[in-house]
């Protein structure tokens, strides 16, 4: 069993030693030129009844976003075709639900079939799921389900109160039980301490299944959100996070997620050297701006 103390020792190593250890593990488990492009589509935007204090889509925040009901199937076909033409290997469908109702699952199942028809990996993040919902999505061909723990169990109640940490674990357990791959990560910069970061990694390690995918987000401060004026954190912490996660999860895809547009290409290179091997590609994430697609294509061309 990996303890918090062990994780803390790794996390707090001198930075060069930490990066070197992570690099060795990364190189034995992934080809050097493997950086996966993942494209996000917000299939239902805004009006979410959860109170995540960082999120533009929560009804508890007053963020100026455009609400959108479930998209027509033709728009998914268009988005998938375009993303594929740029080398995207995975599509993630995001919807602002507490939990999707059965008509939403039916429509999202159609979206999943389009993604699979194009030979791409499919992922969805739609809120909480019971076993039956997880089973339906699995039958539609969904490869991964994203449901983040977001932060440490100790800090979590400062960020979200309408859904508990354990509720999240129940969804992850249901996803794993039906044989879908788990995508689970969190956010840095919410005001958490270094101990919280270590505890977050420990909680990832204790999930009902080893996650095949771990997205690491940096808080994007959105207008109207309750959590939008935290003190900026030292970017070295991001390197420590990625490297420690790489050491503990040697075969897991680690995704640089929200907030990447605050990083220079050089900073991103350091994170790829430390163990990250995926980015979200496309000018937009769900509601916020992402790095410009052409600039990312240039970066990737230079790296691999
Ligand atoms: N509604 C679904 C859920 O949370 O269960 C999925 C969508 S939600 C937008 C997916 C994840 O995006 C969140 O768990 C959080 O980690 C991340 N996220 C959302 N808003 C963010 C922000 N402003 N900055 C950084 N990460 C954010
Ligand atoms: C994840 O951890 N990050 C992605 C994906 N999973 C769904 C979402 C980032 C959302 C950023 C905020 C927004 O666009 O509203
Ligand atoms: Fe809703 Fe997900 Fe945003 Fe939380 S993060 S408010 S669950 S859309």
């Amino acid at each position: 069993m990996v303890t918090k103390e062990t994780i803390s020792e790794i996390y707090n190593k001198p930075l060069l030693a930490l990066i070197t250890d992570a690099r060795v593990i990364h190189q034995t488990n992934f080809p050097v030129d493997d950086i996966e492009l993942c494209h996000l589509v917000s299939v239902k935007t805004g009006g979410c009844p959860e109170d995540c204090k960082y999120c533009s889509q929560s009804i508890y925040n007053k963020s100026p976003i455009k609400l959108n009901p479930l998209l027509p199937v033709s728009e998914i076909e268009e988005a998938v075709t375009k993303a594929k033409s740029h080398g995207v290997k995975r599509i993630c469908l995001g919807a602002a639900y507490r939990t999707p109702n059965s008509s939403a699952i039916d429509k999202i199942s159609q979206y999943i079939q389009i993604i699979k028809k194009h030979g791409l990996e499919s992922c969805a993040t739609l809120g909480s799921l019971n076993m039956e919902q997880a089973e339906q999505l699995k039958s539609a061909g969904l490869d991964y389900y994203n449901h983040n723990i977001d932060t440490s169990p100790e800090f979590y109640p400062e960020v979200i109160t309408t859904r508990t940490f354990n509720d999240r674990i129940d969804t992850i357990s249901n996803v794993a039980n039906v044989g879908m791959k788990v995508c689970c990560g969190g956010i840095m910069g919410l005001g958490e301490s270094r101990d919280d970061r270590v505890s977050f990694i420990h909680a990832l390690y204790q999930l009902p299944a080893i996650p095949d995918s771990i997205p690491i987000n940096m808080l994007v401060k959105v207008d109207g959100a309750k959590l939008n004026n935290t003190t900026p954190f030292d970017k070295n912490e991001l390197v420590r996070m990625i490297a420690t996660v790489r050491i503990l999860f040697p075969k897991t895809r680690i995704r640089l997620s929200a907030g990447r547009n605050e990083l220079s290409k050089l900073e991103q290179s350091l994170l790829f050297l430390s163990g990250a091997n995926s980015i979200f590609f496309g000018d937009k994430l769900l509601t916020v701006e992402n790095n410009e697609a052409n600039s990312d294509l240039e970066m990737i061309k230079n790296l691999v």
Side-chain angles (χ1 to χ4, degrees):
M1 195 56 223
V2 177
T3 63
K4 272 191 204 174
E5 289 66 36
T6 311
I7 296 174
S8 177
E9 272 168 32
I10 300 172
Y11 192 97
N12 289 294
K13 272 191 171 190
L15 201 55
L16 288 181
L18 175 58
I19 295 169
T20 305
D21 289 354
R23 185 76 202 139
V24 169
I25 292 180
H26 190 93
Q27 278 184 313
T28 52
N29 289 286
F30 288 96
V32 73
D33 61 351
D34 181 2
I35 298 177
E36 188 182 73
L37 303 187
C38 178
H39 179 66
L40 263 173
V41 186
S42 184
V43 297
K44 184 266 181 190
T45 310
C48 183
E50 303 291 350
D51 72 348
C52 309
K53 291 198 176 74
Y54 51 77
C55 185
S56 64
Q57 304 195 68
S58 164
I59 52 170
Y60 293 89
N61 293 328
K62 297 282 167 269
S63 303
I65 58 162
K66 189 171 171 282
L67 307 187
N68 243 332
L70 276 172
L71 296 178
V73 172
S74 59
E75 283 196 34
I76 306 296
E77 179 79 51
E78 215 176 288
V80 173
T81 311
K82 184 168 169 215
K84 190 178 172 184
S85 74
H86 286 120
V88 165
K89 292 282 180 297
R90 171 187 171 100
I91 305 284
C92 180
L93 307 171
Y97 290 121
R98 168 169 290 157
T99 185
N101 63 25
S102 69
S103 77
I105 293 204
D106 287 346
K107 193 134 187 210
I108 291 164
S109 296
Q110 293 177 46
Y111 304 160
I112 294 167
Q113 279 150 18
I114 292 171
I115 299 170
K116 297 314 293 174
K117 181 186 80 185
H118 283 275
L120 302 184
E121 262 182 8
S122 58
C123 179
T125 181
L126 319 168
S128 304
L129 294 186
N130 60 30
M131 282 277 264
E132 193 188 344
Q133 293 167 312
E135 193 58 71
Q136 285 168 325
L137 292 166
K138 162 93 179 147
S139 312
L142 190 63
D143 300 308
Y144 289 77
Y145 197 76
N146 168 244
H147 201 60
N148 290 343
I149 56 173
D150 278 347
T151 188
S152 69
E154 299 76 23
F155 192 64
Y156 184 96
E158 305 290 320
V159 184
I160 302 140
T161 67
T162 52
R163 174 156 63 194
T164 68
F165 195 87
N166 283 338
D167 292 338
R168 300 247 182 183
I169 304 297
D170 288 345
T171 291
I172 294 165
S173 174
N174 294 335
V175 166
N177 280 338
V178 303
M180 266 191 297
K181 292 179 185 156
V182 171
C183 172
C184 180
I187 313 180
M188 296 183 75
L190 296 169
E192 76 285 352
S193 64
R194 217 181 224 202
D195 282 350
D196 285 313
R197 291 177 191 141
V198 167
S199 177
F200 159 73
I201 301 171
H202 186 245
L204 283 180
Y205 206 81
Q206 292 186 309
L207 288 178
I210 295 279
D212 285 277
S213 161
I214 299 182
I216 301 294
N217 299 274
M218 283 169 290
L219 177 67
V220 176
K221 296 174 180 174
V222 291
D223 284 350
K226 299 206 172 44
L227 253 180
N228 69 2
N229 60 358
T230 52
T231 317
F233 68 97
D234 180 351
K235 286 176 185 164
N236 283 310
E237 289 292 301
L238 187 55
V239 181
R240 291 185 181 281
M241 173 62 71
I242 301 280
T244 308
V245 171
R246 171 52 66 225
I247 291 167
L248 289 162
F249 300 88
K251 294 183 187 303
T252 295
R253 185 74 62 180
I254 303 176
R255 305 180 193 279
L256 298 182
S257 305
R260 191 169 56 83
N261 53 7
E262 294 291 323
L263 303 175
S264 68
K265 289 193 169 75
L266 203 56
E267 286 167 336
Q268 292 177 67
S269 300
L270 183 55
L271 296 172
F272 295 130
L273 277 175
S274 304
N277 55 357
S278 172
I279 59 170
F280 283 99
F281 172 83
D283 294 340
K284 207 171 170 197
L285 292 168
L286 294 171
T287 68
V288 306
E289 297 292 302
N290 191 24
N291 306 48
E292 211 219 316
N294 281 333
S295 164
D296 274 346
L297 288 175
E298 216 176 87
M299 174 178 79
I300 297 290
K301 200 168 153 208
N302 189 35
L303 286 171
V304 300

